[in-house]
Amino acid sequence: MKVLRKIIEINEDLCDGCGVCVPACEEGAIQIIDGKARVVAEKYCDGLGACLGECPQGAITIIERVAEDFDPEAVEEYLQNLESSGPAVETLACGCPSTQMQSFKTASACQEANQPPNQTAAHSALGHWPVQIKLIPPHAPFLQHADLLILADCAAVAYAGLHQELLKDRVVMMGCPKFDDVEEYVERFSEIFKKNDVNSITTVIMEVPCCSGLPMMVKNGLEAAGKSLPIKKIVIGTNGKRLKEETI
């Protein structure tokens, strides 16, 4: 039955498909479909607007219009079906599930201390997803108060101690300063530093000259954001050894 009532409206031009609004809707009325947030059925939306403050783009508003009436029983059945069918694979603005933001629980200090020595090397210290500089949106929740580890792609392969020595308790952002777009990186770093209070920045690069630009891109991003932080630079040799550390 259709009635005149309040219901959310999503501006698709503003929505970037980040998915932050999805868990804010306890009724499960919002899903990411074809890279945009959409109301899957009017009867699942109670019109109270719990999702309003969660959208970083301000794409969600409440309007009053004729819509299917809110149906609590249908919501309950819908949520039970969602739970029994397992989590859906969501796609974001680019249509690729590789951009779906996720945070992971990492092992506590106690758990690590009790881990057999022959298993410590197999433990991943990664605490979030995505990891590519291009794919991490500036409003990603794990960026606020983060200790950033900004990593050249090749260093991740070359340095054996990455997870246990550098990645633990840090948010990693990785890319290739030689083949990727420099201006795009500076702009992305600038937006991240504008939107978030970052605790610390560590860059890890290879000893090859084409890698040396990465710390400068980060520094330029800081300056564009009007912020200042020391940048720790770690240089890895092509033989995988940790060659040098300095602060710039």
Side-chain angles (χ1 to χ4, degrees), residues 31-220:
Q31 296 293 329
I32 303 300
I33 300 172
D34 296 331
K36 297 285 184 181
R38 303 180 194 277
V39 176
V40 294
E42 293 178 342
K43 62 183 177 182
Y44 300 150
C45 175
D46 60 10
L48 297 178
C51 53
L52 288 184
E54 302 296 329
C55 178
Q57 304 300 322
I60 304 177
T61 55
I62 288 184
I63 62 171
E64 189 172 69
R65 66 174 174 84
V66 175
E68 196 173 0
D69 201 5
F70 176 61
D71 187 340
E73 293 181 358
V75 169
E76 185 174 353
E77 182 180 359
Y78 170 62
L79 292 176
Q80 287 177 350
N81 289 336
L82 281 180
E83 185 176 355
S84 62
S85 61
V89 177
E90 299 170 357
T91 57
L92 300 189
C94 69
C96 175
S98 66
T99 60
Q100 182 181 359
M101 285 189 291
Q102 301 176 65
S103 295
F104 312 127
K105 288 184 178 179
T106 56
S108 66
C110 180
Q111 288 172 322
E112 286 192 343
N114 290 322
Q115 193 170 23
N118 63 346
Q119 293 183 13
T120 53
H123 174 70
S124 172
L126 183 64
H128 65 92
W129 190 264
V131 298
Q132 287 288 333
I133 296 170
K134 291 181 177 181
L135 298 182
I136 297 177
H139 56 266
F142 48 76
L143 289 172
Q144 190 63 255
H145 304 303
D147 293 300
L148 294 185
L149 180 69
I150 301 174
L151 185 70
D153 286 346
C154 296
V157 179
Y159 190 56
L162 175 70
H163 281 260
Q164 303 309 318
E165 298 174 27
L166 298 178
L167 187 53
K168 182 172 173 52
D169 298 327
R170 288 191 172 105
V171 168
V172 63
M173 305 179 68
M174 57 191 298
C176 177
K178 180 176 182 178
F179 293 117
D180 294 342
D181 189 300
V182 174
E183 291 185 3
E184 184 182 3
Y185 272 15
V186 172
E187 185 176 349
R188 177 55 57 97
F189 289 136
S190 173
E191 288 301 312
I192 286 172
F193 296 135
K194 285 177 182 175
K195 292 181 181 294
N196 301 278
D197 292 322
V198 172
N199 290 339
S200 68
I201 303 171
T202 300
T203 60
V204 184
I205 61 174
M206 298 298 294
E207 62 176 328
V208 294
C210 54
C211 247
S212 61
L214 185 58
M216 291 308 299
M217 296 176 204
V218 178
K219 186 177 181 181
N220 290 340

Side-chain angles (χ1 to χ4, degrees), residues 4-49:
L4 179 64
R5 70 178 183 95
K6 292 182 178 179
I7 190 170
I8 67 164
E9 183 175 69
I10 302 172
N11 186 325
E12 291 192 1
D13 292 332
L14 295 178
C15 176
D16 63 2
C18 69
V20 174
C21 58
V22 174
C25 179
E26 294 186 357
E27 291 76 24
I30 304 176
Q31 296 293 329
I32 303 300
I33 300 172
D34 296 331
K36 297 285 184 181
R38 303 180 194 277
V39 176
V40 294
E42 293 178 342
K43 62 183 177 182
Y44 300 150
C45 175
D46 60 10
L48 297 178

